[in-house]
Every structure is written in structure tokens, then in C-alpha cells.
Amino acid sequence: MIVVMKIGSPEAEIKRINDELTNWGLTPEKIVGKHKVVIGLVGETASLDPLQIQEVSPWIEQVLRVEKPYKRASRQFRHGEASEVKVNTPAGTVVFGEHHPLVVIAGPCSVENEEMIIETAQRVKASGAKFLRGGAYKPRTSPYSFQGHGESALELLAKAREATGLGIITEVMDAADLEIIAEFADIIQVGARNMQNFSLLKKVGAQGKPVFLKRGMAATIEDWLMAAEYILAAGNSNVILCERGIRTFDRQYTRNTLDLSAIPVLRDLTHLPIAIDPSHGTGWSNYVPSMSMAAIAAGCDSLMIEVHPNPKKALSDGPQSLTPQGFEQLMQELAVIGKAVGRWEKPTAVV
Amino acid sequence: MIVVMKIGSPEAEIKRINDELTNWGLTPEKIVGKHKVVIGLVGETASLDPLQIQEVSPWIEQVLRVEKPYKRASRQFRHGEASEVKVNTPAGTVVFGEHHPLVVIAGPCSVENEEMIIETAQRVKASGAKFLRGGAYKPRTSPYSFQGHGESALELLAKAREATGLGIITEVMDAADLEIIAEFADIIQVGARNMQNFSLLKKVGAQGKPVFLKRGMAATIEDWLMAAEYILAAGNSNVILCERGIRTFDRQYTRNTLDLSAIPVLRDLTHLPIAIDPSHGTGWSNYVPSMSMAAIAAGCDSLMIEVHPNPKKALSDGPQSLTPQGFEQLMQELAVIGKAVGRWEKPTAVV
Amino acid sequence: MIVVMKIGSPEAEIKRINDELTNWGLTPEKIVGKHKVVIGLVGETASLDPLQIQEVSPWIEQVLRVEKPYKRASRQFRHGEASEVKVNTPAGTVVFGEHHPLVVIAGPCSVENEEMIIETAQRVKASGAKFLRGGAYKPRTSPYSFQGHGESALELLAKAREATGLGIITEVMDAADLEIIAEFADIIQVGARNMQNFSLLKKVGAQGKPVFLKRGMAATIEDWLMAAEYILAAGNSNVILCERGIRTFDRQYTRNTLDLSAIPVLRDLTHLPIAIDPSHGTGWSNYVPSMSMAAIAAGCDSLMIEVHPNPKKALSDGPQSLTPQGFEQLMQELAVIGKAVGRWEKPTAVV
Amino acid sequence: MIVVMKIGSPEAEIKRINDELTNWGLTPEKIVGKHKVVIGLVGETASLDPLQIQEVSPWIEQVLRVEKPYKRASRQFRHGEASEVKVNTPAGTVVFGEHHPLVVIAGPCSVENEEMIIETAQRVKASGAKFLRGGAYKPRTSPYSFQGHGESALELLAKAREATGLGIITEVMDAADLEIIAEFADIIQVGARNMQNFSLLKKVGAQGKPVFLKRGMAATIEDWLMAAEYILAAGNSNVILCERGIRTFDRQYTRNTLDLSAIPVLRDLTHLPIAIDPSHGTGWSNYVPSMSMAAIAAGCDSLMIEVHPNPKKALSDGPQSLTPQGFEQLMQELAVIGKAVGRWEKPTAVV
């Protein structure tokens, strides 16, 4: 349920309502929107009568039931307003959200060595990326494949961060690594294969860094929003949803089927920012430009693109990685669409 | 196999080679590209040695094997050059192809009555559509649902054509109706459920009107190109491929999963023009604008969009139909992207 | 809706009710069950009140609404009673149905020549098959693959029928061939790719031979029953449903995913007999025995199994064909399970 | 690679070869089969020449390369011989394997309270189950659903074990709980949603209790065997594979599509025992008997069936749970098939 407050409701009254509803055994959550304050309610609300809550204060404008099983993640929970995920990076705060410029995340599948990660970071930064992706702990289908350099890779990411000012995003696969990853990363990624690792979701929800939640390869939109709900319910409201291709019957020419319709569907259903990963989504770098163009035209808030200085020699996912040159060219093409749809960052007056 | 001729090859020599190869039991097909002439060869080529063919004439530049199972539909068969499908309409020739402006097809699922089809035609024409879609024979899941008005609907389409100058596209479900449909339609549609109705494919391949071939809901890209190959092999080279959503595990918020990655994949594999149907692809009119924007940004050559004057009262597929106003607004939004990517028709000097 | 008559209702009264309801604009269909007579009603029944019908005669026990979209195919339409499909063969009537022994259909994918089809027929007959399958018109993914020998293959099937007494089942792909196929075949197959070729469904529904309706590779159970409904609604009540594998994300080790749960699900939903095709369902002959065993244990009424005298040299589908010896051995293994579940034909006293 | 030793090879020689190959940087694993000893080799074998290994000892019969990406899990790794997973229970050792009677696991989705778990245990034991399943930690789509009673549920399982002699199988969701679960459980389950939680796989591989590895809902057979390989590679060779339904386009009448063809496919590819869970596989208790019958006929080694004393009041998965009576009846029906295929436990002389 949500309690929509009238414009101009006094802080003290909002606090009083909050306390009252807490006494009722509910968990109120204050959401400050552009115009109005909304109090989200989670708990045993099924038996509650909205009218009963309405009577708690004359400052309450409306009490509405959230019909979706994902409560906090639903667009209704914020009374229709998009949320913003603000991330601190050395170069300043970057905001992911519907009313902000597209945020581009780029980098290699895995952090391989210092030279390659620094070089990649510098190149993608120069082309306009705001975040560097790079795997320290890699979920690999085979136990015999390269599993990532772990902690030492985190240190290399820190160096790349320092050298370029880019924010860092990297994946957590094991709750035991969460603390150290949170030390180094600005955003923590939960990968497709762990989207329903509920223990991990609870733990990333209980820490403070923003979470980049990839869609599971057979997850319905609803499964995915329920996974986000685990994180939100654990106390972390900074969740970015990332579509990365679903598994379908046709895997001959693309590794997955990139479900771009997730963009308008999620926009309807949730207030959370939406990212697209065309690299995993298609599995082939030559399809990445076209799908990136489509994603921004469809309204996504962020793109995650794999870039490797030498894709042919990559330790993982080479075929889907752009070269730095390829990425630079793509960013120029994206700018054309991005400007056309009003989602491209304006150059600052003095640099 | 394809035989690439040197620039400036004399016509007589090309004819001679053609005759020679016919004598060998092959079926040569002359393809005149922008710069070069290519002779496509279909038949028992597996045992042929390219060098052997090379020796037939000093004007032969190269003999290449087409590795794909779809020969005539493959991009290789035209030596990498896109094909154009030119359609005559009362308002002039409209060209579908990679190097031409986006062609928009719009109209209702079914032709319901004269008033609605004429009104829709006028409205979509005013907004920039080049073709009117409208079902006369409808493939319906239930035998008890409205099955289309048949021949009388074809006559109403003819009236709409006359009134507006729009080209007409309508679906054939039964080979027995092919002749009469070909009389009225400028483009003949083969629907998703008949994509592997091989008897029908052979018959639409044996007549002269261009064919709009929708992807089957569980057809792989390769199945689809093989279906196109049936039409091409029967002698009709004017085929437009239309993605309309595939069937996946998630059908809660969209009716199908629109596979936009088909655009760059097909561009790689085939020379045929590519269309997208976001109305069937998503099943909901509110997702159509976003997916249309994505489709044009991804590089499609044509869009097919359902428009109905009163979607709530539509005899079929109401939820996925835009109103004429909605369509008009969408066309304005599409123009922005279309111009940005250089795929929007330039206004003619005098109108 | 169905009208359940009391036990012992006089024929004349049933006829009177029939006439009365016809006058109301409905299409009554008399179904004679083991104990009771039921009158099935199709038409504009949504607005009818069951009580109103109840008043037509004191011999009416109950009037029930059929909630499913497939009316005639639903189990309710026969008040829970299974239907029987009786097929005349030279060796006598064979019955497909829940309360009858398993009917085994065997034979090659395609009829290749007289020797092979006669030999196969004799061998499968000796092992216990009741029907010979064999394609005369073949739905092939590629236009360049062997398309079947057509009419001459039908004649060879007729010879095999005469030589062995086996019934014949063969596929129709084109309505234009329906008449000649119906002359030669005892059962007409509609293949997976034509399951939603509604024109063809109406035409096989309008002729008298029993129809073997394969499930489309992406057809839901409901789509499939609606396809059967097309045939039933056109007047042919002899429909056998055949599961032959659906298309899923995993196609590496099996060609399709055989959905054996369709057996209990269909048993619940429909009165029609249920067949399983483990050859297409798996695509590999070494998986056919295990899936055949499973199918009979799960309760299917019929099995369709590919048998070829020399699978390695088969013109189509060799990898999924058993040899005659393999089939013979399988039949012995199936007999063990068949007897255990009471679905194996008892040997007649004197043969 | 595998090194097949000649019959009668002396122990000392086998040890010597082992040491030698260890010196080469490989990880040899001795597998004692019925007739022969095989030494499995994992490591950098790609560049090794089998002949080179052959020369190490005259007692080596053959050196064979394992072509599959799953090495230890492949049937080849054991030179074609099935493995046995032996589990100690209070009532004696129970063996899962191709040449042993079917092992039935039964019990509720969640352990709800002492009475229900004890009662269920006694009832399923009386009907012939060897293991009690029961969730202490539950993977639930919603964070607001019942998440299991955790440690206290483990204690109740221990009581049920003591009361009945049944072995216990329960799911681990979080590596942090692994130690305590291993204390109470005889078999540790890794659920479908964690099938590619590689961190967890490594940890269950590093402890000694047998592991019941459910197939992920979009996992290919190969993904699944690679997940098993993670466990085997970490040192635990006691893995049982359990098919529990995959996610497909049709979810209207069944929750998942039970892929019974996994049985013969896995039998070909791996030596590991194969279990089927028809309860999750279909999601409806009325489809469980038919699919259980099919599974045993198809050759599975184990069945996992949900049983709840009062399915309508179950805290989770009620619709797919049999009652104890339903389970008893099913076991009688299964016995008929089980005996027919020689996979039913023979009654011991004196009980």
C-alpha cells in the first residue's frame, strides 16, 4: 500500500503517521518525490482497509493498494515517479535514471593484467564512458576455464579508477567476497546466473553500494522484479536492472535473444533504472552497434558494453568484445541517436 | 555457387556462359549489381570444382561457393549487395531496401467495413504510411472467432487504395484464394502460422506479386531464410522478411518476444529487405512506439503497424492497435530518429 | 454447453429436444455414451441460461456450461467420457482410445521405392504394428531436399497395404492433394508445420477419413486443442492428437523436447485419443526405446515409430529411424510394460 | 584422458603410474571398475600424446581422450561404467545407480512443524520411501513468502530420521549454512536456481556428503553436466542429477515441462545416477502418478515426490503435493512397472 500525502504536508505530521503505522506492525518507508511525499507500506496489508489508514491524518490525500507482488520495486510504490540511482565516482556523481543522460559502462569481460585494464579504461573514458566494467571473479560454465584473478584484479581496477576517474563495476559471485568487493567497487553486479541466489540478494541488499542486477537467462520480467524486491526489502534502494539476453530456441547466430521490449515493459512496471547489455545479449561484437542504437532509441537509461584492447586474445568472451576503436566509433554513432531522443550528456562549458 | 564477372564483361559473353552452364545441368541466374554482374548457380554444385567453371571464360573474375543452405536468399549470392523490392502503387513505385527510406505499412488487423477501412487509410496516408494493411482472410486460433470478410473485404481494400493511393498488403491463408488476392493486393503476406506451409510458399513463389514473409513463432533465422528460399527458388525474387515476435517462456506482459537482433543478423546473412511488426511483436499498443523507435535505429527497412479507428471495438487484435492519432504522433517521433539515421524520406520539392 | 439426458430417455424426446434447440439457432450434436446420451451445443450460448434449456424437457438431467474455448474437443463436451476413433483396415477395425490396447504405427519417413516399403511393412506387421506410416509428400526445410515421390508413393503404400493388411497413414501438405490422399490412406496426417494452417484444418474436417493431428513445435496445449476444434467443428469427429516434441532452448542432444506430460494433461482436458511420436520427439533412434516405454507407462493410446530397412541410406530422417530388428526388439520390451499397465493386445485364440 | 589398465595390473604398478603422471603435472584419479582399473586424468592434456602415456607402463591397455568438456562427469571417464552413489542411512546403506533398485525420496516441500514432518516420514516410510525430503531453507520467488524454519527445521528432520530410519535430504541455499546442513542431512540438495552458483558448487564439492544437483530451469544438458563437473572437480564424486522440469513457452497447464528424454541422454553421456522430480516437473499432483510411471519406465534411478499430510494447507507448493494416501497408491502402481523393468527392490526374506 502507499499513502500519498497532500502537497505541503508538515514534516512532523509525516513523522507522526510513520510512527503510528509502525505501531500497527507495518514497515513505512518515506519517499520524497518531486511534488509529493509518499509513504510506502510493506507488511500484512492484505486485511487492512485503506479507509482506516486514511483516517489517521487529514493530510493524507489518498491510500492506494499496490496490486503487484513486487511492492517496493513497483512504479506504483513511488506513485508513478522514476527513481534515481546516484553513484559517486572520482569524477563526480553519476545519476542513472529516466530523466538523465544515458550512462555508458564499458570494459573487458575479465581484468587480465594492469596494462590492459589501464589502457582500456583510458580509451573508454576518452570515448565517453562513465564506468569501467571488469571481472575479478568470473562465473564460468567450466571449472577448468579461467576463473578471474580475484582480489588482485580488484586492486588493478582501483588503479584504473585512480588513473581515469571512472567508476568501477564488478561482479560478486560469493557472499564471502562481498566485503572486499564493496571496498573497491562503486557498483556491485549480481550476474544472470545468481539472479535467484536469494541468499546473495539479501546480502547485497544489506550493504550500501548500488546493485546492478542482471536478468536471469530464463527469468520472467516478474521473477526479475521479485529478485530486485529482495534487495529493496533488505534495505538497499539503489538497484539498476540490466537486460542481457534471454535463452530461446534460436542460438545459432546469436548467443542469447536480447529482449529490448523489456525497456518499455519495465518502464511501466517499475521506477528502477534500466540498462541493456548488448554484448552478452547478442554474443557477437558486430551486432553490438545496431542493438546499442536500438536500446537508446527504445529509452534505456544505461548501456554496458564489452571492450577489450585485443578481443582475439581475450581470456573470456572475446567474440563479443569491441576494440577501443570500435567503441569510439560506436559512441559517435550513439551520440546522434542520443541527442535525437534527448538522452545525451551536454558538453560542459569549460573542460 | 556464384560466378562474379569482371567489370565491363560483354553481354554476349555473359549469355554464352549462361548457356554453357545450363548445358551442365545447372540453373544460372543473372544478377545485375551496381558495379558487377554476378551469375548465381543453383543445382548439383557440390561436386563441381570452381576452377573448372573459371575456365569457361576469361571474363570470369571469381567463382565462389555459397556455404549457407539458403543459396538464393544468402547475401553471398548477390556478392554482398542488398536487393531492392520495388512495388507499384497508385502513388508511384515504393522501394523496400537497405539504401532506401523506411517504408511504413499501417492499418487494421481486419477489414471490418467500408467506413472504417477508408477512414483508416486516409488517416495513415496523411501521417506518412505508404501501404495499407488489412486482413480479408484471418488466421484465428478459434474456429468460432471472426474469420475475416474474405472477398468482399478485398473489394473494400481496393476502394481504399483508389481513395488514397496507398499500396495494399493482405494475407493469403489458402492457395485457392491466391489468384483473387493477387488481383487486389500489391504485396501478398504469408503469415507466421504458414511460414512452413511449403505448398503455399511454392505457390506464392510461382506468381508475380511481392511477398511479405512473416517469421514463424518458433522459426529460427535459418528456418525463416529457408522458407524465403522456397519462394525464391520458385521464381519470385521479391521477398520482404518480417519479424513479428517469437514465442518464449515469458508471455505475461508481452504477447511475444520481439527479436530485434534479427535485424543485424539478417543484414549479415541475406540481401532481402527487413521489416518489423511491433504490434504483433509486443501485443500491446503502448509498447509499439518504443519498439518502433528501436527498430528504425537498429536499421530495419520497413515497419508494419496496426492502426484502428476504435481499438476497443476492433473485431480482432484491439489491444495492440494504435488509434490514428497515436499513429500520427508516433510518425512524428519516428521522423526524428529516421532523419538521424538517414532513413527518412525527404519531402519532395512541390507537393 | 452440454445437455445431459436422464438414463432411459426416449429417442423421440431426444429428437424433439434436438429440433427445439436447432430452432433456437444452436447446433446440437448427439453423443451416445456408455450409460447416458449427451447433447452437445455449440453456438451463441454465452447469453443462454442453463435453466431455460432445462425447462425444455423433464428428461433433461443437467445442463452444463463448457468453460474451455475448445468446446467439442473438451472432455466436458462428452461428459467426461473418452471417445474412440475406429479405423477400418484390411485386417479389421482398429480402435484408438483410452480403454483399448495401444496401437502402434511404424514405417519410414518417406516412401522411397517398392521394395523398401513392402519389406518395411512386412517386418513391422510381423512385430505387431497395426498401421504403416510413410511419406508421399514431405515437408522439408529446404526446397532442394527430397520432397517425396507424391502420387506414385501413394500407390506403393496401397501395395504395401494389400500385401500386409496394415492400415495406411500419410501426410497431407496441400489441400489440392487431399482427395487423392483420402483415396489411399486410412488415416490422414496433418504435420506439425501445418497445425495452424486453418484452411487445411477446415478441409480435412470436411472429409470423412480420421485425422492424425501433430502438435506444432511451438503450440501450447490450448493452441493444439483449438486446432483439433477446427476439424471437429467442420464435422469430422475422428481426430487423434500426436505429440512429437516441442522446440526449447536445448537442441544439442535431442532434436526436440518430447513433452510426455501432454499425456496426462490431455487426458484431463479432452476426450480425444493421444499418440506419441518418440522418433521426431528425440531425433535419435537410440533414445526411441526409452521414450516409447515412458509413453506407454504414462498412458498414451498410440505410438508412431520410424522404421527404415537401412537408416544410414534413408532419404530423410535416417538418424531417428530404427531398423526392423531394432523395432522388433522394442516391441518385445514394450509388451512387458504394455501388459503391466493393461494396454497390450491379447493374442486371439485362433489366428 | 583416461588410462585403461590391463586386467590383473599390480597395485604397485598402478601407484607408480599415478606418481609418474602426477610428476607430469596431471591430476590422476583411480577408478576401480567391475573388471578393470581406469586412471582418469584431468589437467593440461590437450598437448599430450596418448602414445607418450602408453609408454609409461606395459600394463597400460589403452589411453583414450575424453572429448566432452565435462571430463569427470562423462561416461567415458569411467570407461562406460555407471557409478554408484552409496548413502548411509539409519536403516542401512542405500545405493543410487543404474544397476540398483529405484530409490524413492518423498516428503513435503517445507518442514512446517514436528507433527507434520514425523507423520509424513512415517507414512512415506511405510509406503516404501528410503529418504525424507523437507525444506529448512526455502528458495522463494518473493521475499515476503515463507522462507523456511531454518535450523529448527533441521532438528525436526533429525527427529524424523531417528523415528523412521529414513535418510534425510534437504537444500542448501547459502554456503554459510553448509556446515550445519551437512551435520543433519544425508544428502545435500542444490536447487535449480543455484545450479550455476559456482561458488556454492565448489563448496559442496569440497565437503563429503553426497550432492543432489537439480537441473536449472534453462540449463542445457551440457550446462548441467558442467555444474556437476564443478562438484566432481572439487573432490566430491557422489553426485546425483535430478531433472525437475525446464521452462518452455507453455506454462498454462503445467508449471514446467518435465524433460524425460534427459534420462536416456544422460545415460549416454554420464556415469552419474539420474533422478526425476515429477512434482516440480509438472506442478500439479494429479499429473505426478503418470509422470512417475513414465520416469521409471524410461530408466531413472530415483524419484523425488512431494507428499504433504494436508496439501491444501501447505505453506508452500501445496498443489503439487500428494497426500500420504495418494503416495501409497502411487507406490503400488509404481511397483508394477518397477518389477516389469527389474528396478524394484525385492522384499528381504525376513523383515
PDB file of all heavy atoms in Angstrom, chain C residues 202-214:
ATOM      1  N   LYS C 202      -9.787 -26.975 -41.904  1.00  0.00           N
ATOM      2  CA  LYS C 202     -11.211 -26.973 -42.277  1.00  0.00           C
ATOM      3  C   LYS C 202     -11.481 -28.037 -43.340  1.00  0.00           C
ATOM      4  O   LYS C 202     -12.511 -28.706 -43.307  1.00  0.00           O
ATOM      5  CB  LYS C 202     -11.602 -25.598 -42.829  1.00  0.00           C
ATOM      6  CG  LYS C 202     -11.717 -24.523 -41.748  1.00  0.00           C
ATOM      7  CD  LYS C 202     -12.031 -23.158 -42.378  1.00  0.00           C
ATOM      8  CE  LYS C 202     -12.004 -22.059 -41.319  1.00  0.00           C
ATOM      9  NZ  LYS C 202     -12.116 -20.712 -41.919  1.00  0.00           N
ATOM     10  N   LYS C 203     -10.525 -28.188 -44.263  1.00  0.00           N
ATOM     11  CA  LYS C 203     -10.754 -29.146 -45.353  1.00  0.00           C
ATOM     12  C   LYS C 203     -10.627 -30.599 -44.884  1.00  0.00           C
ATOM     13  O   LYS C 203     -11.382 -31.453 -45.314  1.00  0.00           O
ATOM     14  CB  LYS C 203      -9.834 -28.831 -46.531  1.00  0.00           C
ATOM     15  CG  LYS C 203     -10.333 -27.571 -47.259  1.00  0.00           C
ATOM     16  CD  LYS C 203      -9.350 -27.063 -48.282  1.00  0.00           C
ATOM     17  CE  LYS C 203      -9.833 -25.711 -48.838  1.00  0.00           C
ATOM     18  NZ  LYS C 203      -8.792 -25.010 -49.608  1.00  0.00           N
ATOM     19  N   VAL C 204      -9.678 -30.890 -44.011  1.00  0.00           N
ATOM     20  CA  VAL C 204      -9.621 -32.276 -43.515  1.00  0.00           C
ATOM     21  C   VAL C 204     -10.808 -32.545 -42.591  1.00  0.00           C
ATOM     22  O   VAL C 204     -11.235 -33.697 -42.423  1.00  0.00           O
ATOM     23  CB  VAL C 204      -8.290 -32.648 -42.798  1.00  0.00           C
ATOM     24  CG1 VAL C 204      -7.107 -32.581 -43.765  1.00  0.00           C
ATOM     25  CG2 VAL C 204      -8.034 -31.806 -41.563  1.00  0.00           C
ATOM     26  N   GLY C 205     -11.339 -31.471 -42.035  1.00  0.00           N
ATOM     27  CA  GLY C 205     -12.540 -31.619 -41.195  1.00  0.00           C
ATOM     28  C   GLY C 205     -13.779 -31.892 -42.024  1.00  0.00           C
ATOM     29  O   GLY C 205     -14.754 -32.480 -41.542  1.00  0.00           O
ATOM     30  N   ALA C 206     -13.730 -31.488 -43.275  1.00  0.00           N
ATOM     31  CA  ALA C 206     -14.907 -31.639 -44.128  1.00  0.00           C
ATOM     32  C   ALA C 206     -14.916 -32.950 -44.898  1.00  0.00           C
ATOM     33  O   ALA C 206     -15.844 -33.212 -45.658  1.00  0.00           O
ATOM     34  CB  ALA C 206     -14.987 -30.454 -45.090  1.00  0.00           C
ATOM     35  N   GLN C 207     -13.882 -33.772 -44.720  1.00  0.00           N
ATOM     36  CA  GLN C 207     -13.905 -35.085 -45.374  1.00  0.00           C
ATOM     37  C   GLN C 207     -14.017 -36.166 -44.286  1.00  0.00           C
ATOM     38  O   GLN C 207     -13.955 -35.875 -43.103  1.00  0.00           O
ATOM     39  CB  GLN C 207     -12.672 -35.257 -46.276  1.00  0.00           C
ATOM     40  CG  GLN C 207     -11.318 -35.109 -45.618  1.00  0.00           C
ATOM     41  CD  GLN C 207     -10.833 -36.375 -44.957  1.00  0.00           C
ATOM     42  OE1 GLN C 207     -10.855 -37.449 -45.548  1.00  0.00           O
ATOM     43  NE2 GLN C 207     -10.396 -36.251 -43.699  1.00  0.00           N
ATOM     44  N   GLY C 208     -14.135 -37.404 -44.718  1.00  0.00           N
ATOM     45  CA  GLY C 208     -14.522 -38.427 -43.745  1.00  0.00           C
ATOM     46  C   GLY C 208     -13.427 -39.252 -43.085  1.00  0.00           C
ATOM     47  O   GLY C 208     -13.674 -39.925 -42.080  1.00  0.00           O
ATOM     48  N   LYS C 209     -12.209 -39.223 -43.623  1.00  0.00           N
ATOM     49  CA  LYS C 209     -11.162 -40.069 -43.038  1.00  0.00           C
ATOM     50  C   LYS C 209     -10.673 -39.508 -41.694  1.00  0.00           C
ATOM     51  O   LYS C 209     -10.602 -38.288 -41.523  1.00  0.00           O
ATOM     52  CB  LYS C 209      -9.969 -40.149 -44.015  1.00  0.00           C
ATOM     53  CG  LYS C 209     -10.241 -41.010 -45.250  1.00  0.00           C
ATOM     54  CD  LYS C 209     -10.214 -42.501 -44.938  1.00  0.00           C
ATOM     55  CE  LYS C 209     -10.711 -43.386 -46.080  1.00  0.00           C
ATOM     56  NZ  LYS C 209      -9.720 -43.601 -47.120  1.00  0.00           N
ATOM     57  N   PRO C 210     -10.308 -40.401 -40.773  1.00  0.00           N
ATOM     58  CA  PRO C 210      -9.769 -39.936 -39.487  1.00  0.00           C
ATOM     59  C   PRO C 210      -8.511 -39.096 -39.694  1.00  0.00           C
ATOM     60  O   PRO C 210      -7.776 -39.305 -40.661  1.00  0.00           O
ATOM     61  CB  PRO C 210      -9.416 -41.228 -38.749  1.00  0.00           C
ATOM     62  CG  PRO C 210     -10.240 -42.291 -39.394  1.00  0.00           C
ATOM     63  CD  PRO C 210     -10.399 -41.870 -40.819  1.00  0.00           C
ATOM     64  N   VAL C 211      -8.284 -38.165 -38.772  1.00  0.00           N
ATOM     65  CA  VAL C 211      -7.167 -37.228 -38.893  1.00  0.00           C
ATOM     66  C   VAL C 211      -6.203 -37.395 -37.722  1.00  0.00           C
ATOM     67  O   VAL C 211      -6.622 -37.485 -36.569  1.00  0.00           O
ATOM     68  CB  VAL C 211      -7.677 -35.765 -38.940  1.00  0.00           C
ATOM     69  CG1 VAL C 211      -6.516 -34.795 -39.055  1.00  0.00           C
ATOM     70  CG2 VAL C 211      -8.654 -35.578 -40.098  1.00  0.00           C
ATOM     71  N   PHE C 212      -4.945 -37.463 -38.059  1.00  0.00           N
ATOM     72  CA  PHE C 212      -3.869 -37.600 -37.065  1.00  0.00           C
ATOM     73  C   PHE C 212      -3.210 -36.226 -37.002  1.00  0.00           C
ATOM     74  O   PHE C 212      -2.492 -35.826 -37.924  1.00  0.00           O
ATOM     75  CB  PHE C 212      -2.887 -38.658 -37.600  1.00  0.00           C
ATOM     76  CG  PHE C 212      -1.948 -39.261 -36.598  1.00  0.00           C
ATOM     77  CD1 PHE C 212      -2.369 -40.244 -35.709  1.00  0.00           C
ATOM     78  CD2 PHE C 212      -0.606 -38.872 -36.561  1.00  0.00           C
ATOM     79  CE1 PHE C 212      -1.471 -40.839 -34.819  1.00  0.00           C
ATOM     80  CE2 PHE C 212       0.281 -39.458 -35.659  1.00  0.00           C
ATOM     81  CZ  PHE C 212      -0.149 -40.444 -34.785  1.00  0.00           C
ATOM     82  N   LEU C 213      -3.472 -35.495 -35.914  1.00  0.00           N
ATOM     83  CA  LEU C 213      -3.061 -34.088 -35.841  1.00  0.00           C
ATOM     84  C   LEU C 213      -1.821 -33.939 -34.970  1.00  0.00           C
ATOM     85  O   LEU C 213      -1.875 -34.039 -33.741  1.00  0.00           O
ATOM     86  CB  LEU C 213      -4.206 -33.245 -35.271  1.00  0.00           C
ATOM     87  CG  LEU C 213      -3.930 -31.754 -35.119  1.00  0.00           C
ATOM     88  CD1 LEU C 213      -3.726 -31.080 -36.476  1.00  0.00           C
ATOM     89  CD2 LEU C 213      -5.070 -31.075 -34.352  1.00  0.00           C
ATOM     90  N   LYS C 214      -0.700 -33.666 -35.597  1.00  0.00           N
ATOM     91  CA  LYS C 214       0.536 -33.491 -34.832  1.00  0.00           C
ATOM     92  C   LYS C 214       0.570 -32.107 -34.198  1.00  0.00           C
ATOM     93  O   LYS C 214       0.023 -31.152 -34.742  1.00  0.00           O
ATOM     94  CB  LYS C 214       1.728 -33.706 -35.757  1.00  0.00           C
ATOM     95  CG  LYS C 214       1.868 -35.184 -36.147  1.00  0.00           C
ATOM     96  CD  LYS C 214       3.307 -35.527 -36.465  1.00  0.00           C
ATOM     97  CE  LYS C 214       3.580 -37.012 -36.323  1.00  0.00           C
ATOM     98  NZ  LYS C 214       5.013 -37.290 -36.536  1.00  0.00           N
TER      99      LYS C 214
END
